[in-house]
Amino acid sequence: MVQERFYRRVLLQRLWPSHNSHGGIRGRSIKSNVIAHAGSRFAFKSDIRNFYPSIHRRRVYRLFADRLHCSADVARACTALTTFNHHLALGLVSSPILADQILCPIDNRIAEACKSIGVVYTRFVDDITLSARYDLRRSNVASIVRKILGDHGFEIHPGKEAFGRLEDLAITGIRMRDSKLDVTREYADRLDQQLKDAKSLADGAHFDGPFQTFNQLRGKVQFVGWVNPGRKAYLMRRLFSIGREKYRREAINRGLVASKTGLMSLDPTPAAQLRVFTPG
């Protein structure tokens, strides 16, 4: 038992997440990813092109064999279980964990280079953000990141690079203004329109769509409240003023069905079979 606890502790130490990574790590999130840049005024963001497909099975094997000291047979078996078509598999719960471990030395190199020039670096899975108190367009920081990633077989997505003021750039779907977090203006405006549309439907009036279930709307309201607690009470009042049962009955009467993408369709099945999805 003592030996088992020892090996478990050693393994967990080897799998300690990257200090700069915020995606798929307990206690970190898209919020912590943005908060890390709170002291900055300007930012640069991009993402790693073809992230999971760029992580070949050979890298995964080396992680198990060299870093975690698995035997060759165990390393091959673990690699087979966590890869697909010779690269890290999309959709598996293990993929973000393994990717984070593989990118740890890369994060360390980028973070060290950024620290020397007063730049903050974070990564959320494949989304990269750098920020500073000075305009990064006048620096070579983007070139440094491209060079380090290129040394390790990765590349920046050329169509997703953006420089600007921190308050004007949405980082992983969140913006920061006056050191406070909020959803993007586009997200807030879209939710406002969806709540108005839902209230109109519940009252038997005009409905534009697409239709979303009450639970889907509630999930969006809760997300906004999680990002910016100051918005939560107002949005919850608007949500529950719709009238859940009125909304559901009117949707059934009109034959509306919600998909996870929020697309509206007419459902020829009996009203009692109205399909209800949870937020996704």
Side-chain angles (χ1 to χ4, degrees):
M1 181 64 71
V2 173
Q3 188 180 39
E4 180 183 347
R5 286 199 298 268
F6 171 77
Y7 282 119
R8 186 179 301 170
R9 186 168 64 250
V10 170
L11 180 61
L12 287 174
Q13 288 174 344
R14 289 179 187 147
L15 289 177
W16 194 257
S18 165
H19 293 295
N20 307 97
S21 176
H22 293 260
I25 296 170
R26 182 178 297 176
R28 304 182 196 176
S29 65
I30 55 175
K31 286 176 64 173
S32 65
N33 186 51
V34 179
I35 290 170
H37 300 276
S40 300
R41 294 179 57 201
F42 298 90
F44 164 77
K45 67 174 190 173
S46 188
D47 64 29
I48 301 173
R49 189 173 191 172
N50 297 323
F51 184 54
Y52 287 129
S54 295
I55 302 177
H56 193 271
R57 66 189 309 275
R58 286 191 299 270
R59 292 187 190 222
V60 180
Y61 175 83
R62 287 199 301 269
L63 173 64
F64 286 115
D66 301 339
R67 292 264 304 280
L68 301 180
H69 302 293
C70 296
S71 67
D73 288 341
V74 171
R76 278 193 293 269
C78 290
T79 301
L81 288 170
T82 56
T83 59
F84 179 72
N85 283 347
H86 307 293
H87 60 74
L88 205 57
L90 286 164
L92 288 184
V93 69
S94 56
S95 293
I97 300 170
L98 297 176
D100 184 73
Q101 290 299 302
I102 289 168
L103 263 74
C104 267
I106 303 173
D107 285 344
N108 290 339
R109 279 191 64 189
I110 295 175
E112 191 63 31
C114 287
K115 183 179 178 181
S116 65
I117 54 175
V119 174
V120 177
Y121 163 67
T122 65
R123 178 177 56 80
F124 190 91
V125 189
D126 61 341
D127 289 320
I128 288 175
T129 305
L130 299 98
S131 69
R133 299 191 64 82
Y134 59 90
D135 193 343
L136 293 175
R137 277 175 289 209
R138 298 200 298 266
S139 73
N140 65 341
V141 66
S143 299
I144 292 173
V145 172
R146 292 190 202 103
K147 170 77 166 56
I148 293 173
L149 287 172
D151 290 345
H152 294 269
F154 294 100
E155 62 177 314
I156 289 287
H157 196 298
K160 294 188 177 181
E161 293 187 350
F163 289 92
R165 290 184 175 272
L166 184 61
E167 62 182 21
D168 297 327
L169 289 177
I171 300 172
T172 50
I174 296 180
R175 57 179 176 151
M176 176 179 286
R177 297 200 173 190
D178 300 323
S179 299
K180 295 181 180 179
L181 303 184
D182 202 355
V183 295
T184 63
R185 187 178 303 279
E186 293 77 16
Y187 191 97
D189 290 345
R190 188 164 59 249
L191 178 57
D192 176 70
Q193 182 56 44
Q194 289 168 340
L195 291 173
K196 288 178 182 177
D197 208 25
K199 185 70 169 68
S200 181
L201 173 62
D203 292 340
H206 176 74
F207 177 70
D208 290 320
F211 172 70
Q212 295 178 70
T213 67
F214 192 88
N215 280 346
Q216 285 176 310
L217 292 172
R218 182 169 62 181
K220 293 183 176 183
V221 167
Q222 289 173 333
F223 170 71
V224 174
W226 173 70
V227 174
N228 182 358
R231 288 181 179 265
K232 186 173 183 179
Y234 169 70
L235 289 174
M236 290 299 285
R237 285 197 300 271
R238 287 188 61 188
L239 175 69
F240 285 102
S241 72
I242 293 169
R244 181 172 187 150
E245 285 306 311
K246 282 173 52 182
Y247 183 63
R248 182 176 181 277
R249 283 197 302 269
E250 190 63 29
I252 290 173
N253 291 338
R254 299 192 191 191
L256 302 176
V257 174
S259 72
K260 288 188 176 181
T261 59
L263 298 177
M264 180 178 65
S265 64
L266 296 177
D267 183 14
T269 60
Q273 297 181 25
L274 178 66
R275 194 173 182 187
V276 177
F277 291 95
T278 55

